[in-house]
Amino acid sequence: MSEEETDVMIGLETHIQLDTETKLFCGCPNEEAEEPNTHVCPTCLGHPGSKPRLNKKVLEHAVKTSQALQCDVNEEVFFSRKTYFYPDLSKDYQITQYEVPVAEDGEVEIKVGDEKKDIGITRLHIEEDPAKTRHKGGDIGNSDYTLVDYNRSGTPLLEIVTEPDFTSPKEARAYLQQLAQMLEYLEIYYPESNFALKSDANISIDGGQRVEVKNITGTAGIEKALSYEISRQKQLKKRGREVSQQTRSYNQNQEITEKLREKETEEDYGYIFDPDLTTQELDEEFREKLRAEIPELPHEKFKRFKEEYGLKDKLVEALVSVPEMADDFERLAEEFDTNLAASWMVGELKKVLNYNEVSYDEVNVESGAPDFLYVGLRVVLSHLEAGEFNQRKAEKYLRDFVEQGLDPEKEFSIDDPKADNIDLGLNLKDYKKSGDDEITEFVKEAIDENPDAVEDYNSGDEEAVNFLVGQVMSISQGKADPKTAREKILEELE
Amino acid sequence: MNLREVVEGEKQVDHEEFLSELKEKNQELNFMREITQESNTGELNGIPFIAKDAICTEDTTTSAGSQILENYQPVFDATVIERLKESGASFYGKTQQDEFGFGTFSTNCAFGTPKNPHDKERVVGGSSGGAGAVVAAMDKPLISLGESTGGSITNPAAYNGVVGITPTYGRVSRYGLVDYANSLDKIGVLARTVYGTAKGLEIIAGEDENDQTTSSKEVPNYSENLDETEGRVAVPKQYLELDGVEEGVMENFQDSIDELKQRGFEVEEVDMPLLSADIAVPAYYVLAMSEASTNLAKMSGMRYGMEKDPEDFEDFNEYFSEVRSEGFGEEAKRRILLGTYTRQAGYRDQYYIKAAKVRTKIINQYKEVFEEFDAVISPSMPNIAPKIEEAEDMSPSEIYAMDTLTVGPNLAGMPMISVPNGKSEGMPTGLHIVGDHFNEQKILDIAYTYTGGDSQ
Ligand SMILES: [Zn+2]
């Protein structure tokens, strides 16, 4: 029986750590530190008398994301205190949004295979991340002692809560992947950074009790955690046992969910308005300004690429998955055959990047030139179209180009990608097919230097041609096209 | 010698003499939590200042009157401390207070009960009791920082016969104030003269990027603008009908009204039904306790203050409970429990949300009155400072009821000043003058006029 046949209901609460310069309520750097407890101040340590002050950048990120998720943005928002005692919480209350979040009632369309589905967004709000705890000698239940590192205390989080609209782990995973991609387009989240995307999931089957699974990291984790939890609940049902209302955690190493606590009643956090933070007005002007900053989103770009370039779904999906790559593709498509450009970017280039374990954006940043890959691709595509590179050489060029990087001493600009004098640190001659005249010279040389082989051929030994072709290849240092060489040799020997 | 003479350079403070008098008086009255001496130079020319123990001072004990923060030394100065130091005022230490500001008499102090300089058997008032007593006890110019949530500057000012100003909420930064109820807390000034409070306030007031609730409105030079004035003042009918106002207090208040009339003021009775004891006081306590219970959560023995050996405990819950049971006084525990209850799901709408609505209505009622009047006046406290054992015998509800005159304007975030208006049974009483938001200059002017201008 497949999962879809059971009445499964899943809702997700996803936390996105924001990669801002400073923390949510203080001026501490929002980044990893070499030592624990170094990026801290009285505010994020919750010292008596310290006060939070809002990092307005976070508000901008939240509003942009809300608009991209088609939510209604609230005009006046404020913060609340959620009180609970836990060693990682510096004030023993967390500043979050309760009554009025940044936004509510949104919708996002996800694609699973060829199926499309709308997922409701309940709300989006801002809150602070607690510190990190490290339980020495075990987990929280049996460790010798616990260390607390407050470097993370006060990192800004966006929390996005969905309706229980998912009916399979696959859908949940697709949603997270598409959400992450959208956030990347909004320049809010970068998959390569240390900033994580974590979800809590609410799962129930056949209208049974709801189980909450906490702390599922990433997009691959969600599918595994949910699959495990659904089969656990099904097994219980099958054996006639009740699924009790519980809070569980996901154990990433063992890929199982584990019981944290039996949930008889909802926890009571005693929310009050945080009187240290003033109400924030998200007026029309502010929202309009941010709306204007929203770029074409992945699903919109997908649709347009399909229409404009007539490429296969798979190619478009791959191009759109990296915003910078999609932009470069559009520039290349102005000069080159779109299919050729797309298949080189998604095929050969991707292979080279994967092999070197770098991303498209990273290569550009590391090279010191934002157009690095774009220019490299232009060289390859222009020489391919002109018939001056063969497939194998073009691949080699691309690989060498990525791996060698740029010589920082040299000027990096080209106007004509086919010009032989462009200097990207590689010698184009090494990659080009040899010209006809050049091959004729090599052929002559091979014949002159190997009279025995010529004699053998004349005596009827046709194998001798292969030897001569080999010689041409060797003299040309592999640049000659063997087929052409054979033709020329035969011409000479007639 | 008064503060104006020092500011204007006619006289100088002898710091050795000041310190020895401070130590001597404190031996007798116990109003200081810690005495220190730190000199600065500048416009204020070494004028001594002292702060309530809830105001953070770098490297000097800041315990907010609680055992749970005994020996706690903050790593930063509160904005008000920083501003006073920069102005050249000299820091002399911290004063006793009710634990976290929870009290009416300063009999809930973890480090001993201060005594009233006018009568050692009597209380100094609360919660900024030490801050009021030190001004009365020292025959020297002095700026004393107090803090008011529901009336904690007015109360000790009246009981000690000094001047105390509580500014508009948001006028003075709360950065570095150990929070009681953040939406109500205000740092203010106690001094011997109206001029002294005006001078102190103009230095500490103004926007602070570390406290988002501070206003960006420009701060007038209150002390230089002080002027004899006249106008219209209102007396809420509800205060005149209030139960438990002592006869001597009421007589002094009637005299104050006559005095104001003589100086050219029109005085009229007004109806302010929301100021009655059964509306304003419960709303105030619900909000104050709800906020306090969240503020005090951070006192758990994890990062500062009282600590225990974790080895002795099963888990962190047990550890936190033990530290909090031992560290908090009785009144603090009472307020944490009540405050946790009033914000709990199921009760929240009935208490916390409702109190917030009452507060908005009280503000509106004041605003209506201030359309016609320059100030609202009343006795500062319904009684003279009680004897220490009388105060200790009162039930919590009796004590809460004594706040009726002060919680209204505090809930509304209005500025207010208490000035001495005579004595009853040999003890000082006070006149309370409440003004419109950010209209500190007006109430200072009325107080200045009432006390006879520059003669004070
Ligand atoms: Zn910080």
Side-chain angles (χ1 to χ4, degrees):
Chain A
M1 189 165 80
S2 83
E3 280 151 16
E4 283 73 11
E5 287 169 63
T6 317
D7 186 11
V8 176
M9 268 170 65
I10 303 165
L12 292 183
E13 294 168 13
T14 304
H15 292 97
I16 300 118
Q17 280 184 328
L18 297 180
D19 184 7
T20 48
E21 300 223 338
T22 55
K23 293 184 181 180
L24 182 52
F25 295 120
C26 64
C28 289
N30 180 27
E31 57 184 36
E32 302 258 318
E34 276 178 28
E35 293 289 321
N37 298 310
T38 46
H39 290 166
V40 293
C41 72
T43 296
C44 56
L45 286 174
H47 277 217
S50 63
K51 300 271 177 288
R53 52 172 201 274
L54 180 65
N55 178 349
K56 296 273 169 80
K57 194 77 205 168
V58 176
L59 216 48
E60 291 185 9
H61 286 340
V63 170
K64 252 195 212 178
T65 310
S66 303
Q67 289 171 339
L69 290 169
Q70 316 203 18
C71 292
D72 299 330
V73 176
N74 288 308
E75 279 185 37
E76 278 190 344
V77 301
F78 53 87
F79 291 86
S80 292
R81 293 175 171 186
K82 175 181 181 177
T83 309
Y84 62 96
F85 286 89
Y86 203 76
D88 67 1
L89 202 55
S90 67
K91 301 178 288 298
D92 290 312
Y93 63 77
Q94 180 188 28
I95 305 178
T96 180
Q97 291 183 311
Y98 179 62
E99 276 88 354
V100 185
V102 168
E104 294 162 277
D105 289 335
E107 197 175 70
V108 60
E109 186 189 81
I110 60 162
K111 260 180 73 185
V112 190
D114 293 333
E115 306 256 315
K116 285 183 183 170
K117 181 171 179 174
D118 286 332
I119 301 296
I121 303 294
T122 316
R123 58 185 268 144
L124 181 148
H125 69 251
I126 298 168
E127 65 185 30
E128 57 176 343
D129 215 352
K132 256 185 205 161
T133 48
R134 287 224 313 269
H135 306 292
K136 286 289 171 179
D139 58 28
I140 186 161
N142 53 20
S143 62
D144 297 331
Y145 58 95
T146 297
L147 297 171
V148 187
D149 176 3
Y150 290 93
N151 283 339
R152 196 182 68 185
S153 176
T155 288
L157 297 176
L158 283 190
E159 180 171 340
I160 301 173
V161 182
T162 73
E163 294 291 308
D165 288 345
F166 303 104
T167 52
S168 74
K170 267 201 177 61
E171 286 179 5
R173 180 182 188 164
Y175 160 76
L176 281 186
Q177 277 172 334
Q178 286 165 44
L179 180 67
Q181 202 171 89
M182 192 194 82
L183 291 166
E184 200 183 342
Y185 265 70
L186 295 172
E187 296 181 356
I188 285 172
Y189 170 81
Y190 308 94
E192 307 86 32
S193 72
N194 294 316
F195 293 87
L197 200 130
K198 269 187 205 162
S199 306
D200 299 341
N202 285 301
I203 308 124
S204 60
I205 60 168
D206 291 330
Q209 295 274 31
R210 205 180 65 171
V211 172
E212 187 180 14
V213 179
K214 286 190 134 10
N215 265 324
I216 311 165
T217 309
T219 52
I222 200 85
E223 196 172 351
K224 288 178 187 154
L226 290 173
S227 301
Y228 176 87
E229 180 55 27
I230 289 166
S231 69
R232 186 188 72 89
Q233 292 188 21
K234 278 198 218 157
Q235 285 297 318
L236 283 176
K237 287 231 154 173
K238 211 160 104 186
R239 281 182 266 140
R241 287 169 58 191
E242 190 126 321
V243 178
S244 62
Q245 195 187 343
Q246 279 182 0
T247 301
R248 301 177 70 84
S249 71
Y250 180 57
N251 182 328
Q252 208 168 339
N253 298 328
Q254 296 175 33
E255 297 184 358
I256 59 165
T257 66
E258 297 166 322
K259 184 170 129 181
L260 271 181
R261 56 185 175 270
E262 207 76 34
K263 208 173 182 181
E264 276 132 18
T265 49
E266 288 287 326
E267 278 166 277
D268 201 331
Y269 296 113
Y271 289 96
I272 62 164
F273 315 129
D274 192 312
D276 285 331
L277 288 156
T278 49
T279 299
Q280 298 295 318
E281 277 186 40
L282 309 176
D283 56 24
E284 190 50 40
E285 196 188 332
F286 180 76
R287 285 185 279 170
E288 203 39 65
K289 177 194 140 230
L290 294 171
R291 200 173 290 127
E293 286 175 19
I294 295 179
E296 185 181 35
L297 294 171
H299 64 280
E300 295 162 343
K301 191 163 285 213
F302 180 90
K303 210 171 141 217
R304 185 168 61 81
F305 274 28
K306 283 288 296 172
E307 283 165 10
E308 246 168 69
Y309 304 111
L311 300 169
K312 285 198 190 108
D313 279 11
K314 279 259 177 285
L315 280 180
V316 180
E317 247 165 55
L319 285 174
V320 167
S321 71
V322 183
E324 211 175 312
M325 184 158 80
D327 290 347
D328 284 352
F329 166 76
E330 293 211 76
R331 289 203 278 170
L332 293 167
E334 286 172 17
E335 281 182 77
F336 306 104
D337 178 75
T338 51
N339 255 308
L340 185 72
S343 59
W344 271 83
M345 294 179 93
V346 171
E348 297 312 323
L349 179 61
K350 209 143 206 188
K351 246 191 274 171
V352 176
L353 296 178
N354 286 347
Y355 180 78
N356 288 287
E357 291 178 347
V358 283
S359 72
Y360 198 94
D361 314 22
E362 275 172 336
V363 171
N364 278 342
V365 171
E366 280 165 21
S367 73
D371 279 342
F372 178 71
L373 283 177
Y374 165 68
V375 171
L377 285 161
R378 271 184 82 196
V379 172
V380 171
L381 294 173
S382 60
H383 284 91
L384 274 170
E385 279 196 346
E388 289 163 354
F389 275 7
N390 64 27
Q391 179 79 14
R392 198 171 55 85
K393 287 286 178 176
E395 281 170 28
K396 186 165 181 339
Y397 179 87
L398 204 55
R399 191 165 61 241
D400 292 348
F401 177 73
V402 169
E403 287 173 5
Q404 182 195 269
L406 270 188
D407 182 347
E409 298 288 303
K410 294 197 171 124
E411 278 288 306
F412 177 74
S413 79
I414 56 160
D415 297 320
D416 177 6
K418 279 175 279 186
D420 283 359
N421 60 355
I422 53 158
D423 191 355
L424 297 176
L426 297 173
N427 190 351
L428 273 176
K429 285 204 183 77
D430 295 342
Y431 300 91
K432 279 186 170 185
K433 288 190 218 171
S434 295
D436 268 12
D437 293 349
E438 221 177 344
I439 290 182
T440 310
E441 290 299 309
F442 296 145
V443 166
K444 276 186 180 153
E445 200 182 323
I447 288 172
D448 287 350
E449 284 178 11
N450 297 284
D452 294 352
V454 175
E455 205 169 301
D456 287 349
Y457 176 78
N458 288 334
S459 327
D461 181 4
E462 292 197 5
E463 284 293 303
V465 176
N466 293 341
F467 174 77
L468 288 170
V469 172
Q471 289 304 300
V472 172
M473 294 309 287
S474 148
I475 294 165
S476 71
Q477 291 175 319
K479 274 185 280 178
D481 175 24
K483 210 175 122 207
T484 319
R486 174 177 289 271
E487 281 163 15
K488 297 249 180 211
I489 290 165
L490 291 173
E491 263 172 45
E492 285 292 322
L493 295 178
E494 285 307 303
Chain B
M1 167 170 49
N2 66 32
L3 202 112
R4 192 195 279 266
E5 290 168 327
V6 183
V7 172
E8 289 173 355
E10 290 162 29
K11 295 190 176 158
Q12 277 195 346
V13 177
D14 180 332
H15 287 277
E16 288 310 308
E17 198 185 302
F18 187 90
L19 190 65
S20 66
E21 188 181 330
L22 186 66
K23 285 179 175 164
E24 192 186 311
K25 292 277 166 61
N26 185 51
Q27 282 274 317
E28 196 187 335
L29 302 165
N30 187 38
F31 48 69
M32 297 296 290
R33 163 75 177 116
E34 184 165 333
I35 295 175
T36 175
Q37 191 184 16
E38 190 187 319
S39 294
N40 298 292
T41 48
E43 188 216 349
L44 279 202
N45 210 18
I47 285 173
F49 82 95
I50 284 183
K52 185 179 185 176
D53 199 22
I55 300 171
C56 285
T57 44
E58 191 174 351
D59 301 329
T60 302
T61 313
T62 299
S63 59
S66 181
Q67 227 173 45
I68 210 163
L69 286 178
E70 187 174 9
N71 304 325
Y72 169 62
Q73 296 192 343
V75 295
F76 65 99
D77 273 337
T79 301
V80 292
I81 300 288
E82 203 178 85
R83 289 184 180 177
L84 273 165
K85 285 183 178 173
E86 277 169 11
S87 79
S90 298
F91 179 53
Y92 275 92
K94 310 296 281 290
T95 52
Q96 302 277 26
Q97 65 163 93
D98 281 310
E99 183 180 14
F100 294 114
F102 304 157
T104 306
F105 304 121
S106 289
T107 49
N108 293 329
C109 304
F111 310 103
T113 303
K115 298 166 189 168
N116 196 303
H118 296 270
D119 176 352
K120 281 198 279 181
E121 291 188 3
R122 292 182 184 270
V123 303
V124 294
S127 65
S128 310
V134 68
V135 176
M138 297 291 290
D139 186 22
K140 296 268 184 298
L142 168 67
I143 288 170
S144 178
L145 293 179
E147 175 276 331
S148 168
T149 307
S152 293
I153 291 173
T154 298
N155 174 331
Y159 283 178
N160 291 282
V162 302
V163 184
I165 188 162
T166 306
T168 309
Y169 180 82
R171 179 77 291 190
V172 173
S173 168
R174 292 177 296 110
Y175 184 70
L177 173 69
V178 180
D179 306 298
Y180 165 6
N182 318 48
S183 74
L184 292 153
D185 296 344
K186 299 155 296 277
I187 294 177
V189 180
L190 295 116
R192 285 193 159 249
T193 59
V194 172
Y195 175 86
T197 55
K199 192 79 212 171
L201 183 62
E202 74 193 23
I203 286 162
I204 62 171
E207 191 175 16
D208 176 14
E209 59 159 20
N210 286 323
D211 178 357
Q212 288 205 331
T213 62
T214 51
S215 166
S216 59
K217 280 196 173 67
E218 204 191 321
V219 180
N221 288 323
Y222 302 121
S223 65
E224 273 148 56
N225 295 342
L226 282 177
D227 204 3
E228 305 249 356
T229 183
E230 51 189 45
R232 303 186 72 205
V233 296
V235 182
K237 195 171 85 184
Q238 282 67 23
Y239 287 165
L240 292 169
E241 291 165 357
L242 188 69
D243 279 344
V245 180
E246 289 175 3
E247 212 182 297
V249 170
M250 202 40 107
E251 278 169 16
N252 287 352
F253 181 58
Q254 291 299 349
D255 289 348
S256 296
I257 291 177
D258 292 343
E259 178 70 33
L260 283 167
K261 282 181 180 165
Q262 268 187 17
R263 291 185 186 266
F265 284 89
E266 274 180 60
V267 183
E268 252 178 72
E269 229 176 87
V270 290
D271 189 17
M272 295 183 76
L274 295 170
L275 295 185
S276 65
D278 55 345
I279 297 174
V281 176
Y284 163 76
Y285 275 103
V286 166
L287 290 174
M289 289 181 188
S290 299
E291 290 180 21
S293 65
T294 65
N295 286 322
L296 296 188
K298 65 169 72 163
M299 313 290 167
S300 58
M302 271 281 286
R303 291 159 290 273
Y304 38 75
M306 181 180 276
E307 59 179 352
K308 301 261 160 202
D309 184 357
E311 294 285 333
D312 299 341
F313 302 92
E314 267 297 298
D315 57 27
F316 67 82
N317 274 321
E318 207 183 273
Y319 176 85
F320 289 174
S321 299
E322 179 61 27
V323 168
R324 291 163 66 79
S325 304
E326 195 182 316
F328 288 135
E330 201 183 314
E331 186 60 25
K333 285 177 200 161
R334 182 178 296 119
R335 295 195 188 200
I336 290 168
L337 288 175
L338 286 170
T340 306
Y341 177 81
T342 52
R343 59 187 168 82
Q344 213 96 97
Y347 303 103
R348 208 172 161 269
D349 287 354
Q350 210 177 326
Y351 294 105
Y352 177 70
I353 300 289
K354 197 168 175 188
K357 286 181 182 157
V358 169
R359 175 192 218 161
T360 308
K361 287 186 175 165
I362 290 178
I363 293 173
N364 292 338
Q365 196 165 87
Y366 268 107
K367 285 287 177 192
E368 266 175 44
V369 171
F370 287 127
E371 274 176 24
E372 274 188 68
F373 295 90
D374 297 303
V376 171
I377 59 166
S378 71
S380 297
M381 290 301 291
N383 55 0
I384 57 165
K387 296 233 164 93
I388 292 172
E389 62 272 15
E390 278 170 14
E392 282 170 349
D393 279 349
M394 286 187 203
S395 71
S397 54
E398 278 176 301
I399 296 172
Y400 300 164
M402 285 188 45
D403 298 329
T404 310
L405 295 171
T406 55
V407 295
N410 274 282
L411 258 180
M414 301 295 174
M416 62 205 94
I417 190 165
S418 177
V419 290
N421 70 341
K423 288 196 169 181
S424 165
E425 298 172 49
M427 292 301 291
T429 62
L431 170 69
H432 208 210
I433 307 165
V434 179
D436 198 2
H437 287 146
F438 297 101
N439 214 348
E440 281 82 2
Q441 190 70 56
K442 191 76 205 177
I443 57 167
L444 281 163
D445 285 349
I446 297 172
Y448 185 72
T449 308
Y450 174 78
T451 55
D454 265 346
S455 63
Q456 271 280 318

